Amino acid sequence: MLRYRIFTEQDFEDLSALDLAAERRTDTAYDTLEDREKESRLHTSLGALKFFERSEHSFLAEEGGTVQGVLLAQSVWQGDRPIVLVVRVLLAEDAPPETASGLLHACVKSAYDSAVYEVHFPLTPELQAAAEAEEAHLLGRYAVRYLGSRHESAPGERLGR
């Protein structure tokens, strides 16, 4: 049975391994990239994990003591209201199908409990069913403009070619 909880420093090694495995599944050429590009694609540096650990909106999913997924999120002030921004959802290759939905629901509940009434997240394939379960509103597509040399090697479909 899946259990959702806030992660701690004791989970950092497992979360880093999960991030690396997920990136390698997403991009089979990951190991051939320059070190700088490899590092920029991962979201589990020590500093990042410490930040997300304190965010109160990031959650880990585990089953039988094994990490099945993690949702990394943070509060963001929009000038007129706060939101919770989901930065990344990482799933184990064999994670149960309900893992992403459970992680997103835990984040939605934590946002509501904090009197934050908007949770923003990229609609990735992993979050499609979760978005439907939460009856999320689709507001277009999510795009990132990478600056500098990262523009050439960054992940994602490149628009405007």
Side-chain angles (χ1 to χ4, degrees), residues 5-6 26 33 41 50 126 158 160:
R5 63 175 174 82
I6 293 175
T26 300
L33 298 171
R41 290 190 186 195
K50 285 182 177 282
E126 296 86 4
R158 191 162 168 188

Side-chain angles (χ1 to χ4, degrees), residues 27-48:
D27 184 353
T28 55
Y30 173 81
D31 289 319
T32 66
L33 298 171
E34 293 181 27
D35 287 344
R36 187 173 129 193
E37 180 62 27
K38 286 194 279 191
E39 287 175 21
S40 65
R41 290 190 186 195
L42 299 176
H43 293 83
T44 53
S45 67
L46 180 60

Side-chain angles (χ1 to χ4, degrees), residues 5-25:
R5 63 175 174 82
I6 293 175
F7 56 83
T8 67
E9 196 166 329
Q10 288 74 35
D11 300 306
F12 287 4
E13 187 176 319
D14 290 337
L15 296 177
S16 292
L18 177 68
D19 191 10
L20 181 59
E23 192 59 44
R24 284 176 170 156
R25 280 193 316 274

Side-chain angles (χ1 to χ4, degrees), residues 64-128:
T66 302
V67 174
Q68 296 296 325
V70 67
L71 179 141
L72 303 173
Q74 64 180 334
S75 294
V76 176
W77 180 249
Q78 292 286 94
D80 60 348
R81 67 188 177 284
I83 67 166
V84 170
L85 175 64
V86 175
V87 175
R88 184 89 166 173
V89 173
L90 303 165
L91 301 175
E93 188 169 20
D94 58 350
E98 67 274 15
T99 306
S101 291
L103 286 166
L104 183 60
H105 187 70
C107 182
V108 166
K109 184 178 181 333
S110 78
Y112 185 81
D113 290 348
S114 300
V116 177
Y117 301 112
E118 291 183 27
V119 177
H120 293 232
F121 55 95
L123 191 59
T124 61
E126 296 86 4
L127 288 174
Q128 180 70 42

